[in-house]
């Protein structure tokens, strides 16, 4: 003990000792927000150990992504000499969430310049300033719950927000028809309750009238109860608050929070302030759940609308072709900062059976998102299907689609939508792929395990709808034809697959980087089935898609398909020769006798029609409009030179027979440009019934123009 008159005792404590004993987190950062010092309580509060965060950004303390902008504002404000105070949401290394109240002040050099920031932080609601913390905390919780409009994500965010900071146990029961269903059951420390303790997720919940949860819903107010006994002495519930979830005047369900010895709290009991706070939180939770449920209903409606406009889930079985396809809408746009709307869009695909076993394949993308883009897509798909049935060339179909798109302007959308599109026609017997492109990305082509791209240069064209109505100039669409070797694979996709795919560091993959990742992944599974290739393509680039994605994978057959073809002189006697060829071919293919006889009958009728009506007239000539007529006199020819009068061209027709797994196709080619039509033959007419017979017996029949005439065809199913 010091003597009277001596100076008082002055303990000497190092600054590190003072900071180490403080019951408040202290974080010191330089001007660039890099941590240069943290005390022991900060490690405890933010849930990490060691000094691995020294030199790291202050964001490494687990500040939630939605608070990054707030952290930037903190640094900007304090470095100007101000003082900042606010609430942060922090994610601990164990996955739990904690809300902290932080105050930041500038650190000044002796010269007066600001060379750093000191941040003092504590757990919100764990001091005598609970009333002040409440408002900032409610605002932060509301912001966090507004981070998604998907119901499951919203419910998960609610559980992450409340456990373990506000409760050791949280339950959310939502009304479904006339019953309550448990949607959330979360416990601190990943504790699992014994079986039968509480209803499981997705199970029905029935509360007796005197239960605190039932009272909360009937009174539409939060109810606090203290429990004298619990499940057991160690983990028994000690206190619970049940709060109704009310939105737009309707009770959506009830949220219950519980404390127990599981949390190792100094006082595992709620009080009146906690009841009021949980009631206010429940109001925000109810609003978020209601928005998510409304949005989910709207989104499911839009998705159902779009999926009904697209082909079914299973591709059709086609001869010489294996097909797999995928369609995936992106997450709601609000998660990307573009406002709230569904992410259905205008991506589309289709596979269209054509004449003689040929197949039309299309993939495209209508600009924009939402219901209008989906509606345009549906109309476009229907129009293309109608155009394709005429068996026009891909370039002709692109021109007709462009004209059609340019007529779709309205008062709400005076400018037509822009559409990228590629239309392919594949013949499995000749292995020829003919295509025309309107501003769409080229598909990947896999040959013998090597991944490349289909050459689009000779078939390139502008997007549909580029030229506005009333403007001059023609948009030229070209087409190209390639022969695909056996076992070739084409990967058709829309740009949502490769654009704006996020990386872990917050940046995005470029389109070229995404294509490279996809090509590498496809190369590893190039010899797998098309379903495996489709799954691999879709998951090759990590991160959520920013736009809806359509994907089609097609593979050509490794084996040759049965085909027989011969050219005959256009003479009546050749009808029997054509029938004989058909009978021999059908027998060699193993057709049933009745099926072969029926097919031969139709071959006779269609060949007879060609011989009588098509090849016995001069071939049609396409004359230039306005060109002068040229006439030659017999005297103009030098007969002495041996030229003489030219011999008339012998007319011919070509018969082609094709067999698939479930159908037989017959085609007859001739040089006449006139398309056949069914006549109404009278009772005494000798002819005019051949095509009528074909129409009645064949599954399908028709005609299509060819470069040098036309083709008449019919299809017969095989049992």
């Amino acid at each position: 003990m010091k003597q009277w008159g001596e100076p008082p005792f002055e303990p000497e404590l190092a600054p590190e000792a003072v900071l180490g004993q403080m019951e408040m987190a202290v974080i010191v950062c330089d001007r660039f927000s890099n941590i240069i010092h943290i005390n022991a309580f900060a490690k405890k509060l933010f849930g990490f150990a060691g000094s691995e965060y020294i030199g790291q950004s202050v964001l490494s303390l687990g500040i939630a992504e939605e608070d990054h902008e707030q952290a930037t504002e903190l640094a900007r404000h304090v470095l100007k000499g101000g003082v900042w105070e606010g609430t942060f949401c922090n994610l601990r290394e164990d996955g739990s969430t904690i809300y902290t109240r932080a105050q930041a002040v500038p650190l000044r050099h002796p010269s007066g310049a600001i060379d750093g920031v000191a941040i003092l932080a504590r757990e919100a609601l764990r001091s005598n300033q609970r009333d002040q913390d409440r408002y900032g905390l409610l605002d932060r919780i509301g912001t966090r719950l507004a981070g998604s409009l998907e119901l499951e994500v919203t419910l998960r965010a609610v559980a992450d927000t409340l456990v373990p900071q506000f409760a050791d146990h949280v339950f959310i029961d939502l009304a479904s028809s006339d019953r309550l269903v448990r949607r959330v059951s979360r416990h601190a420390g990943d504790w699992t309750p014994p079986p039968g303790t509480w209803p499981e997720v997705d199970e029905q919940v029935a509360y007796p009238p005197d239960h605190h949860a039932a009272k909360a819903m009937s009174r539409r107010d939060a109810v606090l109860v203290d429990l004298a006994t619990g499940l057991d002495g160690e983990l028994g519930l000690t206190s619970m608050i049940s709060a109704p979830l009310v939105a737009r005047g309707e009770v959506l369900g009830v949220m219950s929070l519980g404390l127990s010895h599981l949390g190792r709290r100094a006082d595992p009991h709620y009080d009146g302030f906690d009841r009021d706070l949980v009631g206010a939180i429940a109001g925000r939770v109810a609003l978020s759940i209601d928005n998510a449920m409304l949005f989910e209903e709207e989104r499911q409606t839009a998705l159902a609308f779009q999926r009904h406009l697209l082909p079914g889930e299973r591709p059709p079985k086609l001869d010489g072709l294996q097909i797999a396809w995928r369609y995936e809408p992106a997450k709601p746009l609000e998660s990307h900062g573009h406002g709230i709307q569904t992410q259905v869009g205008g991506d589309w695909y289709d596979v269209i059976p054509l004449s003689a076993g040929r197949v039309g394949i299309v993939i495209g993308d209508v600009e924009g998102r939402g219901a209008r883009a989906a509606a345009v897509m549906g109309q476009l798909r229907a129009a293309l299907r109608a155009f394709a049935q005429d068996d026009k060339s891909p370039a002709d179909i692109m021109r007709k689609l462009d004209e059609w798109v340019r007529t779709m302007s309205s008062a709400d959308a005076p400018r037509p939508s822009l559409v990228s599109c590629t239309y392919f026609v594949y013949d499995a017997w000749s292995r020829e792929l003919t295509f025309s492109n309107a501003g769409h990305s080229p598909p990947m082509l896999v040959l013998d395990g090597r991944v490349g791209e289909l050459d689009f240069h000779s078939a390139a064209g502008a997007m549909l709808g580029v030229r506005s109505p009333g403007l001059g100039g023609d948009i030229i669409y070209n087409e190209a034809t390639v022969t695909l070797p056996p076992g070739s694979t084409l990967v058709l996709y829309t740009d949502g697959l490769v654009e704006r795919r996020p990386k872990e560091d917050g940046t995005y993959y470029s389109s070229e980087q995404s294509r490279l990742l996809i090509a590498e992944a496809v190369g590893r599974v190039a010899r797998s089935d098309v379903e495996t290739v489709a799954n691999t393509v879709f998951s090759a680039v990590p991160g959520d898609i920013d736009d809806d994605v359509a994907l089609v994978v097609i593979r050509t057959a490794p084996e040759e398909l049965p085909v027989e073809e011969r050219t005959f002189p256009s003479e009546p006697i050749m009808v029997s020769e054509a029938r004989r060829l058909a009978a021999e071919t059908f027998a060699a293919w193993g057709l049933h006798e009745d099926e072969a006889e029926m097919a031969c009958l139709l071959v006779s009728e269609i060949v007879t029609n060609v011989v009588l009506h098509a090849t016995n007239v001069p071939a049609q000539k396409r004359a230039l409009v306005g060109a002068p007529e040229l006439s030659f006199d017999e005297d103009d020819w030098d007969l002495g030179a041996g030229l003489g009068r030219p011999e008339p061209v012998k007319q011919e027709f070509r018969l082609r027979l094709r067999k698939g797994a479930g159908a037989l196709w017959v085609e007859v080619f001739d040089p006449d440009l006139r398309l056949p039509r069914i006549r109404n033959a009278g009772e005494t007419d000798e002819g005019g019934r051949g095509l009528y017979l074909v129409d009645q017996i064949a599954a399908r029949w028709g005609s299509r123009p060819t470069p040098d005439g036309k083709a008449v065809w019919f299809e017969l199913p095989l049992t």
Side-chain angles (χ1 to χ4, degrees):
M1 181 176 179
K2 289 184 179 271
Q3 299 295 323
W4 180 261
E6 291 184 3
F9 175 74
E10 297 181 358
E12 294 185 3
L13 291 176
E16 291 79 6
V18 175
L19 294 177
Q21 296 179 22
M22 288 183 63
E23 291 292 318
M24 177 174 284
V26 179
I27 305 101
V28 181
C29 304
D30 60 17
R31 290 184 56 85
F32 304 101
S33 297
N34 296 319
I35 300 173
I36 58 178
H37 178 80
I38 51 175
N39 69 343
F41 190 83
K43 300 176 184 179
K44 177 182 177 181
L45 179 65
F46 296 112
F48 60 85
S51 58
E52 64 271 18
Y53 287 87
I54 300 299
Q56 301 293 322
S57 168
V58 69
L59 299 178
S60 64
L61 294 176
I63 297 177
E65 185 176 355
E66 63 263 24
D67 284 346
H68 285 185
E69 185 176 348
Q70 185 176 225
T72 303
E73 176 60 28
L74 177 154
R76 184 183 301 114
H77 184 75
V78 174
L79 290 175
K80 291 180 179 179
V83 176
W84 188 94
E85 185 173 0
T87 304
F88 281 102
C89 174
N90 297 84
L91 305 177
R92 290 172 165 172
E93 287 190 347
D94 61 1
S96 61
T97 301
I98 184 173
Y99 287 89
T100 57
R101 190 69 179 175
Q103 185 177 36
V105 296
L107 294 177
R108 297 183 181 273
H109 189 268
S111 64
I114 299 176
D115 57 4
V117 177
I119 303 174
L120 308 178
R122 55 181 170 79
E123 185 178 356
L125 301 179
R126 288 295 180 266
S127 72
N128 56 2
Q129 300 182 11
R130 294 200 298 176
D131 287 334
Q132 298 178 19
D133 291 352
R134 175 179 177 179
Y135 300 105
L137 188 59
L138 289 176
D139 179 67
R140 293 301 309 116
I141 291 176
T143 301
R144 179 169 176 79
L145 295 183
S148 174
L149 285 177
E150 295 181 90
L151 182 59
E152 294 302 323
V153 176
T154 299
L155 293 175
R156 189 163 57 247
V158 170
D160 293 341
T161 299
L162 299 177
V163 177
Q165 186 166 11
F166 299 101
D168 298 327
H169 314 272
V170 61
F171 309 98
I172 296 179
D173 308 316
L174 297 182
S176 177
S177 299
D178 57 348
R179 60 192 185 122
L180 280 178
V181 176
R182 178 138 297 171
R183 299 300 298 271
V184 172
S185 179
R186 180 70 65 85
H187 311 278
D190 294 327
W191 177 71
T192 301
T197 305
W198 294 299
E200 300 289 338
V201 174
D202 294 330
E203 288 185 359
Q204 183 177 351
V205 182
Y207 293 114
D210 58 345
H211 193 276
H212 50 85
K215 292 179 180 178
M217 289 188 289
S218 62
R219 299 175 185 175
R220 298 197 174 196
D221 194 12
V223 175
L224 166 64
V225 293
D226 283 326
L227 306 175
T229 59
L231 301 177
D232 53 52
E234 182 180 359
L235 298 175
L237 291 173
T238 57
S239 186
M240 289 201 74
I241 298 176
S242 290
L245 301 173
V246 182
R248 296 182 293 118
E250 181 181 356
V251 178
L252 305 179
V254 63
M255 178 179 72
S256 299
L257 276 63
L259 294 178
S260 68
H261 299 296
L262 187 67
R264 309 298 182 187
R265 304 170 190 268
D267 182 14
H269 293 85
Y270 289 121
D271 57 20
F273 175 86
D274 297 321
R275 180 195 60 205
D276 295 340
L277 177 63
V278 171
I281 292 175
R284 285 159 174 77
V285 170
L287 185 61
S288 297
I289 290 176
D290 185 56
N291 287 338
M293 293 174 68
L294 290 174
F295 182 80
E296 191 69 17
E297 182 178 354
E298 176 190 351
R299 186 166 184 259
Q300 291 302 322
T301 301
L303 282 175
F305 168 65
Q306 185 175 42
R307 291 189 187 279
H308 278 81
L309 294 177
L310 292 172
E313 294 184 1
R314 295 183 178 180
K317 293 182 178 180
L318 300 169
D319 292 300
L321 207 58
Q322 299 176 31
I323 301 177
W325 57 43
R326 300 285 185 275
Y327 172 77
E328 187 68 25
K331 289 189 175 181
L333 280 178
E334 51 84 24
S335 62
H336 304 290
H338 297 286
I340 299 173
Q341 57 177 292
T342 58
Q343 266 287 55
V344 297
D347 288 19
W348 58 297
Y349 56 89
D350 205 353
V351 174
I352 308 167
L354 302 177
S355 63
R358 299 176 309 129
V359 180
I361 304 165
V362 62
I363 190 164
D365 186 2
V366 180
E367 70 167 342
R369 292 163 174 160
R372 182 178 183 274
V376 172
M377 176 271 292
Q379 297 179 62
L380 189 63
R381 177 178 176 239
L384 187 141
R385 272 188 162 261
F387 298 154
Q389 296 307 316
D390 288 339
D391 277 311
K392 299 290 186 181
S393 67
D396 287 340
I397 289 182
M398 286 294 105
R399 283 189 286 270
K400 293 177 71 70
L401 283 178
D402 180 57
E403 294 174 3
W404 183 85
V405 169
R406 289 189 287 110
T407 64
M408 292 191 62
S409 59
S410 63
D412 296 333
R415 182 182 66 81
S417 299
L418 296 180
V419 181
S420 68
C421 176
T422 306
Y423 180 62
F424 305 83
V425 174
Y426 180 65
D427 189 330
W429 283 263
S430 66
R431 299 189 181 277
E432 287 186 348
L433 181 74
T434 305
F435 54 92
S436 183
N437 181 46
H440 202 77
S441 301
M444 292 184 177
L445 176 60
V446 186
L447 298 174
D448 297 326
R450 299 188 303 273
V451 183
E453 282 188 346
L454 185 65
D455 186 4
F456 262 16
H457 289 93
S458 56
M463 297 178 69
L464 306 179
V466 167
R467 181 162 63 92
S468 299
L471 295 181
D474 289 330
I475 301 296
I476 299 176
Y477 293 100
N478 301 311
E479 66 182 51
T481 300
V482 297
T483 300
L484 297 180
S488 304
T489 302
L490 280 175
V491 179
L492 288 59
Y493 59 90
T494 55
D495 56 11
L497 182 69
V498 297
E499 291 184 353
R500 285 187 61 83
R501 302 296 292 269
K503 297 181 180 179
E504 293 183 355
D505 59 3
T507 61
Y508 295 91
Y509 290 99
S510 68
S511 297
E512 290 304 319
Q513 289 175 327
S514 297
R515 289 189 182 94
L516 182 60
L517 290 174
I518 295 172
E520 293 174 349
V522 170
R524 293 191 291 268
V525 297
R527 304 190 186 280
S528 302
D529 60 89
V530 290
E531 291 290 341
T532 300
V533 174
N535 293 333
T536 301
V537 169
F538 192 79
S539 59
V541 185
D544 293 331
I545 56 176
D546 186 72
D547 194 4
D548 54 338
V549 173
L551 171 68
V552 180
V553 179
I554 63 175
R555 176 173 295 161
T556 63
E559 69 279 353
E560 299 295 333
L561 301 182
V563 60
E564 184 66 36
E565 185 172 344
R566 187 178 302 177
T567 301
F568 298 90
S570 182
E571 299 173 0
I573 195 174
M574 290 295 109
V575 175
S576 60
E577 287 297 315
R579 179 173 179 135
R580 185 176 61 81
L581 172 66
E584 293 174 353
T585 303
F586 298 154
W589 287 347
L591 263 66
H592 189 274
E593 183 178 349
D594 292 340
E595 292 177 335
E597 184 63 29
M598 186 67 68
C600 287
L601 171 63
L602 298 188
V603 168
S604 297
E605 294 297 336
I606 201 169
V607 169
T608 300
N609 186 78
V610 167
V611 170
L612 293 180
H613 302 290
T615 56
N616 281 338
V617 298
Q620 308 295 315
K621 296 182 179 179
R622 296 180 174 90
L624 295 176
V625 177
E629 291 189 5
L630 299 179
S631 62
F632 295 93
D633 223 347
E634 192 171 312
D635 296 335
D636 293 335
W637 294 90
D638 185 4
L639 300 180
L643 296 177
R645 186 182 299 276
E647 291 290 333
V649 178
K650 267 192 175 181
Q651 300 292 349
E652 295 179 329
F653 69 88
R654 180 160 46 101
L655 176 64
R656 184 164 67 188
L657 311 174
R658 290 179 167 186
K659 179 181 177 296
L664 179 75
W665 288 276
V666 175
E667 296 175 284
V668 179
F669 299 84
D670 67 76
D672 188 16
L673 299 177
R674 297 173 302 168
L675 300 181
R677 60 184 179 87
I678 299 177
R679 293 171 51 192
N680 294 322
E683 294 182 1
T684 59
D685 291 344
E686 295 183 1
R689 296 177 178 83
L691 290 182
Y692 178 80
L693 189 64
V694 174
D695 182 68
Q696 294 299 306
I697 297 177
R700 294 192 306 157
W701 80 277
S703 60
R704 70 175 187 273
T706 62
D708 53 1
K710 71 173 182 298
V712 182
W713 60 272
F714 68 83
E715 174 187 342
L716 276 179
L718 299 178
T719 56

